[in-house]
Amino acid sequence: VQLVESGGDSVQPGGSLKLSCAASFDVSGCGMGWYRQAPGKERELVSAHNSDDSINYAESVKGRFTISQDNAKNTLYLQMTSLKTEDTAVYYCAACRNGDPRSGPFQYWGQGTQVTVSS
């Protein structure tokens, strides 16, 4: 079981990035999500696409980030636009919640990809 993130980069404020998370297993029927952790801060949920097809976003990214899941490719994406300096963090992919499909803890985690937003 492996999740591999890619797409992290350094961009200027107002820029865009698209993160990808490729899973080594069949993710159909499996919720997936993106978390991030900034230096000195706790890991926080950015967005999740749940197994019941519900989607949720952190308030700080609503209207700017879009999550999507391609089950045919076993890949999760995060399109990020209008990036701000406060979006700087390591972004982690997670898959397959235990228990509640909308709030249960994710079982599998990737290693993370760095996103830096700076002028």
Side-chain angles (χ1 to χ4, degrees), residues 18-50:
K18 187 173 184 177
L19 304 183
S20 299
C21 171
S24 64
F25 56 97
D26 185 356
V27 298
S28 57
C30 201
M32 300 183 75
W34 289 99
Y35 283 73
R36 68 185 180 187
Q37 187 167 20
K41 295 188 177 181
E42 293 188 356
R43 188 176 297 189
E44 63 172 352
L45 177 67
V46 175
S47 180
H49 178 263
N50 301 309

Side-chain angles (χ1 to χ4, degrees), residues 64-115:
R64 300 189 298 121
F65 291 10
T66 304
I67 193 171
S68 59
Q69 184 170 334
D70 186 338
N71 291 334
K73 296 182 178 180
N74 294 322
T75 301
L76 181 73
Y77 302 98
L78 186 68
Q79 178 68 55
M80 306 186 293
T81 63
S82 301
L83 283 161
K84 304 176 181 181
T85 55
E86 51 262 44
D87 295 319
T88 295
V90 178
Y91 284 70
Y92 298 90
C93 174
C96 304
R97 293 189 188 270
N98 277 320
D100 190 286
R102 296 191 180 188
S103 62
F106 284 102
Q107 297 182 62
Y108 308 116
W109 293 83
Q111 293 300 306
T113 186
Q114 177 70 48
V115 172

Side-chain angles (χ1 to χ4, degrees), residues 3 7 13 56 114:
L3 297 173
N56 48 285
Q114 177 70 48

